[in-house]
Amino acid sequence: MPTFDERLARAKFRAWHRGTREADYMMGGFFDRYSAQWDADALQWFEDLLAEDDVDVMAWALKTAPVPERFRGEQITKMQALDYVDIPR
């Protein structure tokens, strides 16, 4: 069974290696901004989100599609603010 820190490291890698630059910035930026505050439940929420298709997650974050019940709450509200995305030039 992986430790919390091992799960966090795996989540960080998965967040920053989504396959498209836009998804990397959205998911990786969210991880970088908020992960230090997470407990086991918040990390589990993010791990579950990482298992979803990027197109769906981006639609939820951009509010162009309804968020499924299991992802509703404070975390998705923070993601929808998109104020954490720092796009390098």
Side-chain angles (χ1 to χ4, degrees), residues 13-55:
F13 180 86
R14 290 178 61 207
W16 277 108
H17 296 88
R18 302 301 297 167
T20 65
R21 188 174 301 213
E22 295 84 2
D24 290 351
Y25 288 137
M26 181 180 292
M27 300 294 281
F30 184 80
F31 179 91
D32 288 352
R33 173 86 175 266
Y34 294 107
S35 63
Q37 305 161 12
W38 291 348
D39 60 10
D41 290 336
L43 177 56
Q44 185 62 58
W45 178 91
F46 191 69
E47 289 171 326
D48 293 345
L49 192 70
L50 289 169
E52 298 294 322
D53 289 335
D54 290 342
V55 173

Side-chain angles (χ1 to χ4, degrees), residues 7 11 43 46 55 59-60 65-66 70 76 78:
R7 289 173 55 205
L43 177 56
F46 191 69
V55 173
W60 303 332
R70 70 185 181 280
I76 198 69
K78 289 178 180 178

